[in-house]
Amino acid sequence: LEMPSFVFDAAMSAVASNKIRLAKRLGVKTLPGWIAELDGTPIMEEREIPDDFLMLPTGGTRDIGSHKAYGLGVMVEVLTTVLAGTGAGPNRRAGSAHHFLAYDVNAFTDLAVFKEDMDVYMRALVNAKTAPGEERVLYAGLPEHEAELDRKANGIPYHPEVIEWFKHITAELGIADRL
């Protein structure tokens, strides 16, 4: 492949739970459609993040597509838990679940043709007309590829809250802080 690989990794929630927990620690308010009250009522205004909340699916509410992401989320749950024999949803017997999928491309088409077609497609996406106000079109894996190149050249940036936590925990454990 000439173009960076297409790599898709996503939570089925409106936003990743670690992003919400970081926002709460930093005192940042939730954005509309990120989370719901414990009774399932979507929080549709910017406000403080409650201690207990439910995650909303991608799309947030039915009016903006949550039913599509809900169906996709159920499919992912089946692939990551039921298929593995660990129960699903509230009956899950493991704390987290993952599903990795690999295809033998040669079972479908010639590998060289597939790679060429992927390059053509990824290049077409990158060269597509942008939405108003946007600089460029991205695809899953491209920003990560660019971040990898930048971090190899310039190092890995850490959020100040993470560095503060690291310094606290190393001091608490009596481990030398090498940052």
Side-chain angles (χ1 to χ4, degrees):
L1 293 174
E2 292 177 17
M3 297 294 291
S5 296
F6 175 83
V7 179
F8 182 70
D9 175 14
M12 296 293 99
S13 54
V15 66
S17 64
N18 64 334
K19 185 173 184 175
I20 294 170
R21 298 203 187 287
L22 177 61
K24 181 166 179 56
R25 285 197 308 268
L26 296 174
V28 174
K29 295 179 178 182
T30 183
L31 291 179
W34 274 14
I35 58 176
E37 301 287 358
L38 288 179
D39 69 358
T41 303
I43 296 174
M44 297 306 292
E45 71 278 346
E46 191 173 312
R47 63 172 250 210
E48 299 295 323
I49 298 171
D51 290 334
D52 296 313
F53 56 86
L54 296 175
M55 303 293 294
L56 285 175
T58 298
T61 65
R62 185 168 178 78
D63 293 338
I64 54 175
S66 67
H67 57 290
K68 296 175 186 178
Y70 174 74
L72 184 58
V74 169
M75 182 188 76
V76 169
E77 185 72 13
V78 168
L79 291 172
T80 60
T81 59
V82 179
L83 188 61
T86 62
N91 303 310
R92 192 186 294 171
R93 292 182 291 279
S96 62
H98 303 282
H99 179 76
F100 300 93
L101 188 64
Y103 288 105
D104 177 1
V105 174
N106 283 313
F108 297 88
T109 189
D110 179 74
L111 184 60
V113 170
F114 172 82
K115 287 181 176 183
E116 177 60 28
D117 286 348
M118 283 298 293
D119 277 339
V120 168
Y121 185 39
M122 296 301 104
R123 201 171 294 110
L125 292 175
V126 168
N127 293 324
K129 182 179 177 197
T130 63
E134 297 299 324
E135 292 182 25
R136 63 188 189 141
V137 175
L138 300 172
Y139 61 83
L142 180 58
E144 294 80 3
H145 171 76
E146 292 170 351
E148 178 184 1
L149 295 176
D150 179 64
R151 289 174 179 184
K152 282 181 177 178
N154 302 308
I156 300 172
Y158 286 101
H159 191 282
E161 193 272 341
V162 172
I163 293 173
E164 182 180 317
W165 171 85
F166 182 79
K167 289 180 178 292
H168 171 77
I169 199 71
T170 54
E172 182 180 310
L173 296 173
I175 299 171
D177 176 358
R178 299 186 303 176
L179 287 181

